Amino acid sequence: AVVSTQSTGMIDREWQCPPEFQPCARDQKSLYGLWRDTPTDLPVFIARKEMNKGVITPVAIDLLDLIRVLGKEQDSTLPQELSKLIEENESEKDLKRVDSARRKLVVAKTFNKIGIVVPVSKKDVGYRPLTVTYGELDKMLTKSCEVESEEEKDKILAPFDECVNYIQFANDECDYGMGFELAMCVFAHKESRNFLGTISSMLPLAYDLLGRTLFSKIMKKICKKEENGSL
């Protein structure tokens, strides 16, 4: 199945749910979604995202496995036939195997921890690291929201702006992963709502450059809904 921008692409979605995360279930604390790294991929696993937080974690291999995980966490007794199906599924082993295989393809963890996957050629074309560390980026984004004057904000964000300039060169040389990483970091950050303009310009562009047009369309819808206060 491919993600749809008309229905499943936006159903039950909240802020900081990237297009790769297609919501399929929720409880009081968390949202669960099918995860795929490109629009044409089959879901690799089900991931968990805590409400109003950017961190995303693989939690189950499929819906049957998700029932097992939630039943165990909530100490619930499942029907005997369902328990037998889950036992035969051996999905816990499958999740470890699939997650381990995907981790080898992740070029950067970003602030959402689940990371990003981009194609990188044998000549290392496709990705280059950011010019700032995650620690520096976190401090910049946080501190810039604590000051009032634009002059102070500009001073704090100077290394960020410099990194954005380098991303333009990276894009010219087909290292699209750099801009993707920075944009995803900002999207997953606790102050992400204060950088809606940055996210709405950088993240859809990164998806377009990577040939993930459907994800770009979904991301634009996410930003538009956030801007209108309807997400």
Side-chain angles (χ1 to χ4, degrees), residues 1-40:
V2 176
V3 178
S4 164
T5 56
Q6 299 299 320
S7 55
T8 36
M10 293 302 295
I11 289 176
D12 241 3
R13 190 174 289 281
E14 66 170 30
W15 182 242
Q16 294 184 313
C17 282
E20 293 88 344
F21 182 93
Q22 183 180 348
C24 63
R26 67 166 60 228
D27 57 26
Q28 292 183 339
K29 295 181 179 180
S30 304
L31 191 61
Y32 302 87
L34 303 170
W35 184 274
R36 69 195 85 205
D37 290 297
T38 77
T40 54

Side-chain angles (χ1 to χ4, degrees), residues 40-204:
T40 54
D41 286 348
L42 289 173
V44 288
F45 45 61
I46 293 176
R48 183 200 325 250
K49 178 190 172 300
E50 288 187 44
M51 299 293 187
N52 302 314
K53 292 184 180 180
V55 175
I56 300 172
T57 310
V59 67
I61 195 69
D62 52 28
L63 288 172
L64 193 61
D65 189 31
L66 181 61
I67 294 172
R68 176 190 67 80
V69 171
L70 297 181
K72 188 175 180 180
E73 289 180 353
Q74 298 169 12
D75 198 24
S76 301
T77 302
L78 299 174
Q80 188 174 355
E81 289 185 4
L82 184 56
S83 296
K84 186 178 179 181
L85 278 174
I86 290 172
E87 189 176 326
E88 292 172 351
N89 202 21
E90 294 188 339
S91 46
E92 193 170 1
K93 292 180 182 177
D94 288 339
L95 178 62
K96 291 178 181 178
R97 175 180 53 79
V98 170
D99 185 35
S100 178
R102 180 184 174 274
R103 287 288 169 189
K104 294 176 182 178
L105 303 175
V106 171
V107 298
K109 288 185 177 180
T110 77
F111 289 157
N112 66 20
K113 306 297 184 184
I114 202 166
I116 57 170
V117 173
V118 299
V120 179
S121 73
K122 292 180 179 180
K123 294 183 178 180
D124 286 334
V125 176
Y127 171 77
R128 68 180 68 175
L130 301 179
T131 56
V132 293
T133 67
Y134 284 180
E136 291 168 341
L137 181 58
D138 177 36
K139 287 180 181 178
M140 276 187 280
L141 297 177
T142 302
K143 286 186 176 181
S144 67
C145 295
E146 295 173 350
V147 298
E148 294 184 4
S149 76
E150 289 301 317
E151 186 178 348
E152 286 181 280
K153 287 183 181 180
D154 290 343
K155 186 177 180 180
I156 292 169
L157 291 173
F160 179 89
D161 294 334
E162 185 178 29
C163 187
V164 172
N165 288 334
Y166 279 114
I167 285 170
Q168 294 176 16
F169 292 113
N171 287 341
D172 289 341
E173 296 174 9
C174 299
D175 287 335
Y176 305 136
M178 185 182 186
F180 188 27
E181 179 183 8
L182 183 63
M184 192 61 81
C185 278
V186 178
F187 186 48
H189 194 266
K190 60 186 177 182
E191 297 291 353
S192 59
R193 281 190 163 93
N194 292 311
F195 294 91
L196 178 58
T198 299
I199 295 165
S200 61
S201 63
M202 289 188 68
L203 204 40

